[in-house]
Amino acid sequence: MLNRPQPRTCIECGLPYGHGDFAYHAGKAENGPSYWSDRGLLCSVICSTAHYERREKVGEAMKAPAPNPLER
């Protein structure tokens, strides 16, 4: 079985959605996350940048913005 991150955790560091250090749109958890990709949620600009750089390095950069994963 594949070990996949939980859908409501940061895909880079594992910080759970709802944690006080998670970055939310306009600073409110009910507004959704500030950062995400087609692979999941990102908790901060630091994790978002690391995720982008890692994907760019391996040739898997996103071609278009991903839809908000909490609006599905």
Side-chain angles (χ1 to χ4, degrees):
M1 173 186 271
L2 295 175
N3 186 12
R4 299 184 70 177
Q6 295 300 314
R8 298 263 182 149
T9 62
C10 176
I11 59 175
E12 285 296 312
C13 73
L15 188 69
Y17 187 81
H19 190 279
D21 291 335
F22 211 99
Y24 306 103
H25 181 70
K28 296 180 181 178
E30 58 270 17
N31 291 340
S34 290
Y35 308 97
W36 64 85
S37 82
D38 56 335
R39 295 187 180 166
L41 303 179
L42 296 153
C43 71
S44 66
V45 68
I46 293 169
C47 283
S48 178
T49 301
H51 182 70
Y52 172 82
E53 290 173 349
R54 182 171 49 80
R55 288 182 70 175
E56 182 83 13
K57 184 177 179 180
V58 297
E60 297 177 354
M62 290 179 50
K63 304 291 186 230
N68 185 334
L70 299 182
E71 293 180 354
R72 291 182 185 173

